[in-house]
Amino acid sequence: MSSPVMSARRLAGILGNLDGTGPAYAEITDRIRVAAMDGRLADGTRLPSERELAAALGVSRTTTSRAYADLREAGLIASRRGSGSTVTVPLEASPASTLLGTHSDPDTLAFTYSAPIGPPGMARAFERAIAKLPGLLATSGYLPDGLPALRELLADYYRQRGLPTDPDQIIVTNGAMGAISLLSRTLLSPGDRVLVEGSSYPHAHDSIIAAGGRLTALPVGNGSPWDVEAMAAALKASRHTLAYLICDFHNPTAAVMTGPEREAWAGHLRRRGVTAVVDESMHEVNLDGIDLPPSLAHFDPSTVLIGSSSKPFWGGLRVGWVRAPKPLVVTLVQARMIADLGTSAFDQVVFAELLSDGGQTAAAGRAALRQGRDHLLGELAEHLPEIEAPCPAGGLSLWVTLPGHFSTRLCAAAERRKLLLTPGPRFFSLGGRAGERHLRIPYAHSSEHLSEAVQRLRLAYDDVQAGRTGTRRTDSPTIDLIA
Amino acid sequence: MSSPVMSARRLAGILGNLDGTGPAYAEITDRIRVAAMDGRLADGTRLPSERELAAALGVSRTTTSRAYADLREAGLIASRRGSGSTVTVPLEASPASTLLGTHSDPDTLAFTYSAPIGPPGMARAFERAIAKLPGLLATSGYLPDGLPALRELLADYYRQRGLPTDPDQIIVTNGAMGAISLLSRTLLSPGDRVLVEGSSYPHAHDSIIAAGGRLTALPVGNGSPWDVEAMAAALKASRHTLAYLICDFHNPTAAVMTGPEREAWAGHLRRRGVTAVVDESMHEVNLDGIDLPPSLAHFDPSTVLIGSSSKPFWGGLRVGWVRAPKPLVVTLVQARMIADLGTSAFDQVVFAELLSDGGQTAAAGRAALRQGRDHLLGELAEHLPEIEAPCPAGGLSLWVTLPGHFSTRLCAAAERRKLLLTPGPRFFSLGGRAGERHLRIPYAHSSEHLSEAVQRLRLAYDDVQAGRTGTRRTDSPTIDLIA
């Protein structure tokens, strides 16, 4: 039994007025994609004919025909003679899908990482970048320090944030993870101590450890993750080389370091000769537009900052960067020669376009994330009231509190319900019981998948309550991808 | 005084017939770019008007207008009212340009790395990839093991080479360097011994050392870099974990390991439990289409292979890969989580397009490299007959022999002539005098730059002969980028 065909007028209403900033077919393609992903066009929706949609939008038939063809090519609509075109919402492409053994389980939901799908406007940035291609292809494409135009835009970005910055202070890396890894390998010698938050982004801590660093984790309490007294005591007790911190929308707690805390931290670190590495990947994912205190670099110019295009824009853009004093940037550029030689040239052009559009795409990305956040909060409040889920002002995931210490068991039960989550303790570098009361739930997913995930989590929760926890599936290797 | 305007007919002849596989404006843009880079359109050439070119090519004025606009945007032509459009051949964008201190020296030629500019057809692959964008943007873009479609194409590629391969045996990395780095960090523990060729790609050896490996370098003689007896003796003398080899168009010598050598190496390595890591980055840069012996993996299935898109296609595509037994691929995917999380999603789509075009773009790339190689050989024969420059059947650079041990001095003199070269000893992991007789000269440059480089090298050579060597410039940090 097939659903009725959506009227062209209704679809035109969903898509909104075209803004004429690019080819009309590309805009239509992009808007249908986004509507399919955010749930406004449900899976199986039958679309009006190309002719009807063209009339409703006031564009040529060629335009809608090209848009449908591109959507077909992308696997977002299926067209069959006689029954028209039908929306097919793809399951979010599971990362490491074949390795996760999800080959035979195409409906597993991967909620271990939080990265947005490409927001509206993203496709247009790619189109604009294509226009820069001839100049780019006339070079070897090797950019070990980064695309000059992008380094300038990033320097501008910091200047606008009140941090005078020269383009030579920027090195473009393979995502923020590439930056963390490069800094760890460059700044640490085996045995060097690194001060870190008690809970944090696990791959960052793993990267520090792989480079020979020894972690000093701050205590995890109910207050701030950045206890100034504990920090001062730790620095006094032993010599530290680095501090790795996530001050803005801390991952996973979404906490924001206060201005006075920043000043105190910067002062102590500087006096002890400890380099602060501040991961600001989430800085631009300021969903509620709150006033963030100045960067730690404002209080200590030797601070090293890390940024990312994946969190505010799209995970597929593997572009991150480091802002550091110039001599360190020279060292980092040399150090990367034995790691990757450079970052994708075209991704850098696309990111430069995104930084030059007046903030339009970033705003659309935040709007989509806000919608996901609010949808997830609503679903949890309705279906899992046992869980305490505060609303974060930024970032890409909720940090919820369970009514008991069973995060690992809950995640194991969820996995059997085909929902992959990261157990709370994974975010605590010292492990222990504290993490068992927490769970990180990313909301950078379509409404449909968020609802489905909460349903599965509800079932998993009941499994745990009923003692039906069982063991984790062991029929396939599990990849620990957290983002 | 300005040059005369090139006739539309002449330009149309240079550009050739459009093949209609993409939008005509894009094809015209691409062909003018390539002709400007390979010297068929000299710097300063005045192009015919859009109208005249449209008539000569039998396309619309809109088409040539768009092509000229894109070329202008890319900085490849300059248009001025009254005097029409003029070709402006860009100096190859120097990598790490600001760090190399070439800010004030915009005409420094960087010959330390060898990567082709984008060959004809490259722009079209990007355009085709854009059509896949809607589907890609509907995902998070995180692809820690690689784009499924690309992994399948790479598995096919190996099958065509007689090596049955499952897509799960492939992990896509950030270039071949990313693969070497990932393998070193994953397979080596501090102190592990790695058997290597006496001369090789320096960043690979540096990466092995950074991961704690200890190099056993084979002797450098006049014969093969892969002396079987020396290898057997080294393996007998101490336990080795890995062997890192470049069997096809070895970097820097361009030597090819013979079939019997491969068989002997594979046998010895397997018996001693040593994992062979074979860097096949140059395999597809087979300029003369010679018959290459089967891959080492043919003789030992545990062999790990590395491949690259940068060498046969374009350095700006940061896509490499590893082919390995499945369990190792799972380990590598997990290990990369603390390095970069994945490779640019769009670059992978572009590369997949390049692998699906029937070899057309790869052939165009090889043709451009052949032209560069032959041009460089001609220039050297004419202007620097003192240098012995054998013609390599593949790869991207000449490996020349000097009539004395002065490679380092020659490179220092060349640097003062604004030509950056890598001194021969840099390619010898044990250093020593042998490298002083050699120089690697990349030919992946435009004819214009190759001629200019030989002129500067001639001057530098004379400087060395006259004892005018001086010291290296120390006014700026020098980045050691070799590729």
Side-chain angles (χ1 to χ4, degrees), chain A residues 33 37 73-74 92 96 98 115 118 132 134-135 137-140 142 145 151 314-316 318 334 339-340 344 347 480, chain B residues 33 37 73-74 92 96 98 115 118 132 134-135 137-140 142 145 151 168 178 314-315 318 334 340 344-345 347 480:
Chain A
R33 171 185 67 81
M37 296 309 294
E73 164 108 14
E92 150 84 84
T98 55
K132 306 275 166 71
L137 289 177
T139 74
S140 74
Y142 279 131
D145 49 2
R151 297 173 86 204
W314 182 48
R318 302 310 304 136
Q334 189 59 65
D340 57 28
S344 160
D347 273 11
D480 177 39
Chain B
R33 171 184 67 81
M37 296 308 296
E73 163 108 16
E92 151 83 82
T98 56
K132 305 276 165 70
L137 289 177
T139 75
S140 74
Y142 279 133
D145 48 3
R151 298 174 86 205
D168 287 1
W314 182 48
R318 303 309 304 136
Q334 188 59 64
D340 57 27
S344 160
D347 273 11
D480 176 39

Short mmCIF file of all heavy atoms in Angstrom, two decimals, chain A residues 33 37 73-74 92 96 98 115 118 132 134-135 137-140 142 145 151 314-316 318 334 339-340 344 347 480, chain B residues 33 37 73-74 92 96 98 115 118 132 134-135 137-140 142 145 151 168 178 314-315 318 334 340 344-345 347 480:
data_model
loop_
_atom_site.label_atom_id
_atom_site.label_comp_id
_atom_site.label_asym_id
_atom_site.label_seq_id
_atom_site.Cartn_x
_atom_site.Cartn_y
_atom_site.Cartn_z
N ARG A 33 17.19 17.27 0.49
CA ARG A 33 18.07 16.42 1.30
C ARG A 33 17.91 16.74 2.79
O ARG A 33 17.71 15.85 3.62
CB ARG A 33 19.53 16.65 0.90
CG ARG A 33 20.53 15.97 1.83
CD ARG A 33 21.98 16.31 1.47
NE ARG A 33 22.33 17.72 1.68
CZ ARG A 33 22.66 18.24 2.86
NH1 ARG A 33 22.69 17.48 3.94
NH2 ARG A 33 22.95 19.53 2.96
N MET A 37 16.40 14.50 5.89
CA MET A 37 17.22 14.11 7.03
C MET A 37 16.64 14.61 8.35
O MET A 37 16.79 13.97 9.38
CB MET A 37 18.65 14.62 6.86
CG MET A 37 19.40 14.01 5.67
SD MET A 37 19.35 12.19 5.60
CE MET A 37 20.31 11.79 7.08
N GLU A 73 20.64 9.99 -7.91
CA GLU A 73 22.05 9.59 -7.96
C GLU A 73 22.60 9.43 -6.53
O GLU A 73 23.40 8.55 -6.26
CB GLU A 73 22.85 10.65 -8.72
CG GLU A 73 24.35 10.58 -8.53
CD GLU A 73 25.06 10.08 -9.77
OE1 GLU A 73 24.43 10.04 -10.84
OE2 GLU A 73 26.25 9.71 -9.65
N ALA A 74 22.13 10.30 -5.64
CA ALA A 74 22.63 10.28 -4.27
C ALA A 74 21.92 9.24 -3.42
O ALA A 74 22.25 9.06 -2.25
CB ALA A 74 22.47 11.66 -3.64
N GLU A 92 21.87 6.71 8.48
CA GLU A 92 23.16 7.38 8.64
C GLU A 92 24.23 6.33 8.37
O GLU A 92 24.24 5.26 8.95
CB GLU A 92 23.23 7.91 10.08
CG GLU A 92 24.59 7.98 10.69
CD GLU A 92 25.30 9.26 10.30
OE1 GLU A 92 25.07 10.26 10.96
OE2 GLU A 92 26.07 9.22 9.33
N ALA A 96 32.88 2.74 9.94
CA ALA A 96 33.49 1.42 10.08
C ALA A 96 32.41 0.36 9.96
O ALA A 96 32.43 -0.64 10.67
CB ALA A 96 34.22 1.30 11.41
N THR A 98 31.49 -2.01 7.95
CA THR A 98 31.76 -3.42 7.72
C THR A 98 32.47 -4.01 8.93
O THR A 98 32.25 -5.15 9.30
CB THR A 98 32.64 -3.60 6.49
OG1 THR A 98 33.82 -2.81 6.65
CG2 THR A 98 31.93 -3.12 5.25
N ALA A 115 28.59 14.17 15.18
CA ALA A 115 28.99 15.11 14.14
C ALA A 115 27.75 15.38 13.32
O ALA A 115 26.97 14.48 13.05
CB ALA A 115 30.08 14.51 13.26
N GLY A 118 25.77 17.45 6.86
CA GLY A 118 26.03 18.74 6.22
C GLY A 118 24.81 19.63 6.33
O GLY A 118 23.73 19.24 5.88
N LYS A 132 37.08 27.66 -7.62
CA LYS A 132 38.49 27.95 -7.30
C LYS A 132 39.41 26.84 -7.77
O LYS A 132 40.64 26.93 -7.62
CB LYS A 132 38.66 28.09 -5.77
CG LYS A 132 37.74 29.09 -5.11
CD LYS A 132 38.32 30.50 -5.20
CE LYS A 132 37.30 31.56 -4.87
NZ LYS A 132 36.92 31.62 -3.48
N PRO A 134 40.46 25.56 -10.72
CA PRO A 134 41.54 25.70 -11.71
C PRO A 134 42.84 26.23 -11.08
O PRO A 134 43.91 25.70 -11.37
CB PRO A 134 40.95 26.69 -12.72
CG PRO A 134 39.47 26.50 -12.62
CD PRO A 134 39.22 26.20 -11.17
N GLY A 135 42.74 27.22 -10.22
CA GLY A 135 43.95 27.75 -9.59
C GLY A 135 44.60 26.72 -8.69
O GLY A 135 45.83 26.61 -8.62
N LEU A 137 44.37 23.38 -8.91
CA LEU A 137 44.93 22.26 -9.68
C LEU A 137 46.21 22.66 -10.42
O LEU A 137 46.93 21.80 -10.92
CB LEU A 137 43.90 21.73 -10.69
CG LEU A 137 42.71 20.98 -10.10
CD1 LEU A 137 41.74 20.58 -11.22
CD2 LEU A 137 43.17 19.74 -9.36
N ALA A 138 46.46 23.96 -10.50
CA ALA A 138 47.70 24.42 -11.14
C ALA A 138 48.88 24.32 -10.17
O ALA A 138 50.00 24.67 -10.52
CB ALA A 138 47.52 25.85 -11.62
N THR A 139 48.65 23.84 -8.95
CA THR A 139 49.73 23.65 -7.98
C THR A 139 49.85 22.16 -7.67
O THR A 139 49.02 21.36 -8.09
CB THR A 139 49.42 24.37 -6.66
OG1 THR A 139 48.41 23.64 -5.94
CG2 THR A 139 48.92 25.79 -6.91
N SER A 140 50.89 21.81 -6.92
CA SER A 140 51.06 20.40 -6.52
C SER A 140 50.02 19.99 -5.49
O SER A 140 49.80 18.81 -5.27
CB SER A 140 52.44 20.18 -5.92
OG SER A 140 52.50 20.75 -4.61
N TYR A 142 50.28 20.29 -2.34
CA TYR A 142 50.87 20.05 -1.03
C TYR A 142 50.82 21.33 -0.21
O TYR A 142 51.36 22.36 -0.63
CB TYR A 142 52.34 19.61 -1.15
CG TYR A 142 52.49 18.15 -1.48
CD1 TYR A 142 53.33 17.74 -2.51
CD2 TYR A 142 51.83 17.18 -0.75
CE1 TYR A 142 53.48 16.39 -2.80
CE2 TYR A 142 51.98 15.83 -1.04
CZ TYR A 142 52.80 15.44 -2.06
OH TYR A 142 52.96 14.12 -2.35
N ASP A 145 51.55 23.57 5.72
CA ASP A 145 51.12 24.50 6.76
C ASP A 145 49.66 24.91 6.58
O ASP A 145 49.02 25.37 7.51
CB ASP A 145 52.03 25.74 6.83
CG ASP A 145 52.28 26.38 5.48
OD1 ASP A 145 51.72 25.90 4.47
OD2 ASP A 145 53.04 27.36 5.41
N ARG A 151 44.51 30.19 6.10
CA ARG A 151 45.26 30.66 7.27
C ARG A 151 44.93 32.13 7.55
O ARG A 151 44.84 32.54 8.70
CB ARG A 151 46.76 30.48 7.03
CG ARG A 151 47.16 29.03 6.87
CD ARG A 151 48.63 28.91 6.48
NE ARG A 151 49.51 28.90 7.63
CZ ARG A 151 50.79 29.26 7.60
NH1 ARG A 151 51.33 29.68 6.47
NH2 ARG A 151 51.52 29.20 8.68
N TRP A 314 30.64 20.03 9.35
CA TRP A 314 30.38 18.67 8.88
C TRP A 314 31.58 17.77 9.16
O TRP A 314 32.72 18.18 8.91
CB TRP A 314 30.09 18.70 7.36
CG TRP A 314 29.75 17.39 6.75
CD1 TRP A 314 28.86 16.46 7.23
CD2 TRP A 314 30.31 16.83 5.55
NE1 TRP A 314 28.83 15.38 6.40
CE2 TRP A 314 29.70 15.58 5.37
CE3 TRP A 314 31.25 17.27 4.63
CZ2 TRP A 314 30.01 14.75 4.29
CZ3 TRP A 314 31.55 16.45 3.55
CH2 TRP A 314 30.93 15.21 3.38
N GLY A 315 31.30 16.56 9.66
CA GLY A 315 32.37 15.62 10.01
C GLY A 315 33.21 15.18 8.83
O GLY A 315 34.37 14.78 8.99
N GLY A 316 32.62 15.25 7.61
CA GLY A 316 33.36 14.80 6.43
C GLY A 316 34.48 15.74 6.03
O GLY A 316 35.39 15.35 5.29
N ARG A 318 37.69 17.09 6.89
CA ARG A 318 38.71 16.74 7.88
C ARG A 318 39.69 17.91 8.01
O ARG A 318 40.88 17.78 7.72
CB ARG A 318 39.43 15.43 7.50
CG ARG A 318 38.51 14.22 7.36
CD ARG A 318 37.55 13.98 8.53
NE ARG A 318 38.27 13.86 9.80
CZ ARG A 318 37.89 14.44 10.92
NH1 ARG A 318 36.80 15.19 10.98
NH2 ARG A 318 38.58 14.29 12.01
N GLN A 334 57.16 20.97 10.50
CA GLN A 334 58.20 19.98 10.24
C GLN A 334 57.78 18.61 10.78
O GLN A 334 57.96 17.59 10.12
CB GLN A 334 59.52 20.43 10.87
CG GLN A 334 60.70 19.55 10.46
CD GLN A 334 60.88 19.53 8.96
OE1 GLN A 334 61.19 20.53 8.34
NE2 GLN A 334 60.68 18.37 8.33
N ALA A 339 53.94 12.41 9.33
CA ALA A 339 52.61 11.95 9.72
C ALA A 339 51.63 11.93 8.55
O ALA A 339 50.95 10.95 8.32
CB ALA A 339 52.05 12.82 10.84
N ASP A 340 51.57 13.04 7.78
CA ASP A 340 50.57 13.08 6.72
C ASP A 340 50.87 14.06 5.59
O ASP A 340 50.11 14.14 4.64
CB ASP A 340 49.19 13.38 7.31
CG ASP A 340 49.17 14.69 8.11
OD1 ASP A 340 49.98 15.60 7.81
OD2 ASP A 340 48.36 14.80 9.03
N SER A 344 43.82 17.82 3.07
CA SER A 344 43.13 17.90 1.78
C SER A 344 43.01 19.34 1.29
O SER A 344 42.45 20.20 1.97
CB SER A 344 41.73 17.30 1.93
OG SER A 344 40.88 17.76 0.89
N ASP A 347 39.19 20.35 0.64
CA ASP A 347 38.47 20.57 1.90
C ASP A 347 38.80 21.94 2.48
O ASP A 347 37.94 22.61 3.05
CB ASP A 347 38.86 19.50 2.94
CG ASP A 347 38.01 18.23 2.85
OD1 ASP A 347 37.26 18.09 1.87
OD2 ASP A 347 38.11 17.39 3.76
N ASP A 480 36.01 1.37 18.56
CA ASP A 480 35.74 2.39 19.57
C ASP A 480 35.95 3.77 18.94
O ASP A 480 36.99 4.39 19.10
CB ASP A 480 36.71 2.14 20.74
CG ASP A 480 36.61 3.16 21.85
OD1 ASP A 480 35.50 3.59 22.18
OD2 ASP A 480 37.67 3.52 22.39
N ARG B 33 43.90 25.81 -18.47
CA ARG B 33 44.76 25.68 -17.29
C ARG B 33 45.95 24.77 -17.59
O ARG B 33 47.11 25.12 -17.34
CB ARG B 33 43.98 25.09 -16.11
CG ARG B 33 44.85 24.72 -14.92
CD ARG B 33 44.05 24.03 -13.81
NE ARG B 33 43.53 22.72 -14.18
CZ ARG B 33 44.24 21.60 -14.15
NH1 ARG B 33 45.50 21.61 -13.77
NH2 ARG B 33 43.68 20.44 -14.49
N MET B 37 49.99 25.57 -17.84
CA MET B 37 50.95 24.97 -16.93
C MET B 37 52.02 24.18 -17.68
O MET B 37 53.16 24.10 -17.23
CB MET B 37 50.25 24.06 -15.92
CG MET B 37 49.29 24.78 -14.99
SD MET B 37 50.02 26.22 -14.12
CE MET B 37 51.28 25.41 -13.13
N GLU B 73 38.95 34.05 -11.89
CA GLU B 73 38.76 33.78 -10.46
C GLU B 73 39.93 32.96 -9.91
O GLU B 73 40.37 33.16 -8.78
CB GLU B 73 37.44 33.03 -10.28
CG GLU B 73 37.26 32.32 -8.95
CD GLU B 73 36.26 33.01 -8.05
OE1 GLU B 73 35.50 33.84 -8.55
OE2 GLU B 73 36.26 32.72 -6.84
N ALA B 74 40.43 32.05 -10.75
CA ALA B 74 41.51 31.18 -10.30
C ALA B 74 42.88 31.85 -10.42
O ALA B 74 43.89 31.27 -10.07
CB ALA B 74 41.50 29.89 -11.13
N GLU B 92 54.31 27.84 -9.25
CA GLU B 92 53.84 26.72 -8.43
C GLU B 92 53.77 27.21 -6.98
O GLU B 92 54.74 27.73 -6.44
CB GLU B 92 54.85 25.58 -8.59
CG GLU B 92 54.99 24.65 -7.42
CD GLU B 92 53.93 23.57 -7.41
OE1 GLU B 92 54.09 22.59 -8.11
OE2 GLU B 92 52.93 23.74 -6.69
N ALA B 96 54.47 25.47 2.34
CA ALA B 96 55.02 26.14 3.52
C ALA B 96 55.67 27.43 3.10
O ALA B 96 56.72 27.80 3.58
CB ALA B 96 56.02 25.23 4.23
N THR B 98 55.20 30.62 3.47
CA THR B 98 55.57 31.67 4.41
C THR B 98 56.70 31.22 5.31
O THR B 98 57.57 32.00 5.67
CB THR B 98 54.35 32.05 5.27
OG1 THR B 98 53.88 30.88 5.91
CG2 THR B 98 53.25 32.64 4.41
N ALA B 115 55.25 16.06 -6.94
CA ALA B 115 53.84 15.70 -7.06
C ALA B 115 53.32 16.43 -8.28
O ALA B 115 53.64 17.59 -8.52
CB ALA B 115 53.07 16.12 -5.83
N GLY B 118 47.30 18.89 -11.07
CA GLY B 118 46.13 18.12 -11.48
C GLY B 118 46.14 17.91 -12.99
O GLY B 118 46.18 18.88 -13.73
N LYS B 132 27.56 13.50 -6.33
CA LYS B 132 27.37 12.51 -5.26
C LYS B 132 27.19 13.18 -3.90
O LYS B 132 26.99 12.52 -2.89
CB LYS B 132 28.60 11.57 -5.17
CG LYS B 132 28.96 10.87 -6.45
CD LYS B 132 28.14 9.60 -6.62
CE LYS B 132 28.20 9.05 -8.04
NZ LYS B 132 29.48 8.49 -8.40
N PRO B 134 24.93 15.16 -2.37
CA PRO B 134 23.74 15.07 -1.51
C PRO B 134 23.74 13.82 -0.64
O PRO B 134 23.46 13.90 0.55
CB PRO B 134 22.58 15.08 -2.52
CG PRO B 134 23.12 15.83 -3.70
CD PRO B 134 24.57 15.43 -3.78
N GLY B 135 24.09 12.69 -1.21
CA GLY B 135 24.11 11.46 -0.42
C GLY B 135 25.17 11.51 0.67
O GLY B 135 24.97 11.02 1.79
N LEU B 137 26.46 14.25 2.11
CA LEU B 137 26.13 15.24 3.14
C LEU B 137 25.01 14.75 4.05
O LEU B 137 24.76 15.34 5.10
CB LEU B 137 25.73 16.58 2.50
CG LEU B 137 26.86 17.37 1.85
CD1 LEU B 137 26.30 18.63 1.19
CD2 LEU B 137 27.93 17.74 2.87
N ALA B 138 24.32 13.69 3.64
CA ALA B 138 23.27 13.13 4.48
C ALA B 138 23.86 12.22 5.56
O ALA B 138 23.14 11.63 6.35
CB ALA B 138 22.27 12.35 3.63
N THR B 139 25.18 12.09 5.59
CA THR B 139 25.84 11.29 6.63
C THR B 139 26.72 12.22 7.48
O THR B 139 26.91 13.38 7.14
CB THR B 139 26.75 10.22 6.01
OG1 THR B 139 27.95 10.84 5.50
CG2 THR B 139 26.06 9.50 4.86
N SER B 140 27.28 11.66 8.55
CA SER B 140 28.17 12.46 9.40
C SER B 140 29.51 12.71 8.69
O SER B 140 30.25 13.58 9.10
CB SER B 140 28.45 11.72 10.70
OG SER B 140 29.34 10.64 10.47
N TYR B 142 32.05 10.83 8.79
CA TYR B 142 33.16 10.10 9.44
C TYR B 142 33.33 8.74 8.78
O TYR B 142 32.40 7.94 8.73
CB TYR B 142 32.86 9.88 10.93
CG TYR B 142 33.15 11.07 11.79
CD1 TYR B 142 32.23 11.50 12.72
CD2 TYR B 142 34.35 11.75 11.70
CE1 TYR B 142 32.49 12.60 13.54
CE2 TYR B 142 34.62 12.84 12.50
CZ TYR B 142 33.69 13.27 13.42
OH TYR B 142 33.96 14.34 14.22
N ASP B 145 37.33 3.83 8.34
CA ASP B 145 37.95 2.79 7.51
C ASP B 145 37.99 3.19 6.05
O ASP B 145 38.79 2.65 5.28
CB ASP B 145 37.27 1.43 7.69
CG ASP B 145 35.75 1.51 7.60
OD1 ASP B 145 35.23 2.62 7.34
OD2 ASP B 145 35.08 0.48 7.78
N ARG B 151 36.59 1.61 -1.05
CA ARG B 151 37.22 0.37 -0.62
C ARG B 151 36.92 -0.75 -1.61
O ARG B 151 37.76 -1.59 -1.90
CB ARG B 151 36.72 -0.02 0.77
CG ARG B 151 37.09 1.01 1.85
CD ARG B 151 36.45 0.66 3.17
NE ARG B 151 37.23 -0.27 3.95
CZ ARG B 151 36.73 -1.09 4.88
NH1 ARG B 151 35.43 -1.10 5.11
NH2 ARG B 151 37.51 -1.90 5.55
N ASP B 168 37.18 -5.35 3.01
CA ASP B 168 37.55 -5.26 4.42
C ASP B 168 39.06 -5.33 4.63
O ASP B 168 39.54 -5.14 5.75
CB ASP B 168 36.91 -6.40 5.22
CG ASP B 168 35.42 -6.17 5.41
OD1 ASP B 168 34.91 -5.15 4.91
OD2 ASP B 168 34.78 -7.01 6.06
N GLY B 178 50.41 9.01 5.58
CA GLY B 178 49.53 8.64 6.68
C GLY B 178 49.53 7.14 6.91
O GLY B 178 49.45 6.67 8.05
N TRP B 314 47.20 13.64 -8.08
CA TRP B 314 47.43 15.02 -7.64
C TRP B 314 47.75 15.04 -6.16
O TRP B 314 47.07 14.38 -5.36
CB TRP B 314 46.16 15.85 -7.93
CG TRP B 314 46.27 17.30 -7.57
CD1 TRP B 314 47.30 18.15 -7.88
CD2 TRP B 314 45.32 18.06 -6.82
NE1 TRP B 314 47.04 19.40 -7.39
CE2 TRP B 314 45.83 19.38 -6.72
CE3 TRP B 314 44.09 17.78 -6.23
CZ2 TRP B 314 45.15 20.39 -6.06
CZ3 TRP B 314 43.42 18.80 -5.56
CH2 TRP B 314 43.94 20.08 -5.50
N GLY B 315 48.76 15.83 -5.79
CA GLY B 315 49.20 15.91 -4.41
C GLY B 315 48.15 16.48 -3.46
O GLY B 315 48.17 16.21 -2.26
N ARG B 318 44.55 14.08 -0.53
CA ARG B 318 45.29 13.41 0.55
C ARG B 318 44.67 12.05 0.83
O ARG B 318 44.16 11.78 1.92
CB ARG B 318 45.35 14.29 1.81
CG ARG B 318 45.97 15.68 1.60
CD ARG B 318 47.34 15.69 0.91
NE ARG B 318 48.30 14.86 1.60
CZ ARG B 318 49.13 14.02 0.99
NH1 ARG B 318 49.13 13.90 -0.33
NH2 ARG B 318 49.96 13.31 1.67
N GLN B 334 41.22 1.05 14.52
CA GLN B 334 41.16 1.48 15.91
C GLN B 334 42.31 2.43 16.24
O GLN B 334 42.12 3.45 16.90
CB GLN B 334 41.20 0.27 16.85
CG GLN B 334 40.94 0.64 18.29
CD GLN B 334 39.58 1.32 18.47
OE1 GLN B 334 38.55 0.73 18.26
NE2 GLN B 334 39.58 2.60 18.84
N ASP B 340 43.61 10.77 13.57
CA ASP B 340 42.92 11.70 12.66
C ASP B 340 41.44 11.37 12.44
O ASP B 340 40.77 12.12 11.73
CB ASP B 340 43.65 11.76 11.33
CG ASP B 340 43.78 10.38 10.67
OD1 ASP B 340 42.93 9.51 10.92
OD2 ASP B 340 44.73 10.18 9.90
N SER B 344 39.39 12.80 4.44
CA SER B 344 38.41 13.67 3.79
C SER B 344 37.39 12.86 2.97
O SER B 344 37.76 12.12 2.07
CB SER B 344 39.15 14.64 2.86
OG SER B 344 38.25 15.16 1.88
N ALA B 345 36.12 13.03 3.30
CA ALA B 345 35.08 12.26 2.61
C ALA B 345 35.01 12.63 1.13
O ALA B 345 34.92 11.76 0.26
CB ALA B 345 33.73 12.50 3.29
N ASP B 347 37.35 14.05 -0.86
CA ASP B 347 38.54 13.57 -1.58
C ASP B 347 38.37 12.10 -1.97
O ASP B 347 38.80 11.67 -3.04
CB ASP B 347 39.79 13.70 -0.71
CG ASP B 347 40.46 15.07 -0.82
OD1 ASP B 347 39.85 15.98 -1.40
OD2 ASP B 347 41.60 15.22 -0.32
N ASP B 480 61.81 20.95 5.83
CA ASP B 480 62.32 19.79 5.10
C ASP B 480 61.13 18.98 4.60
O ASP B 480 60.74 18.00 5.22
CB ASP B 480 63.22 19.01 6.08
CG ASP B 480 63.77 17.71 5.52
OD1 ASP B 480 64.14 17.69 4.33
OD2 ASP B 480 63.83 16.73 6.27
#
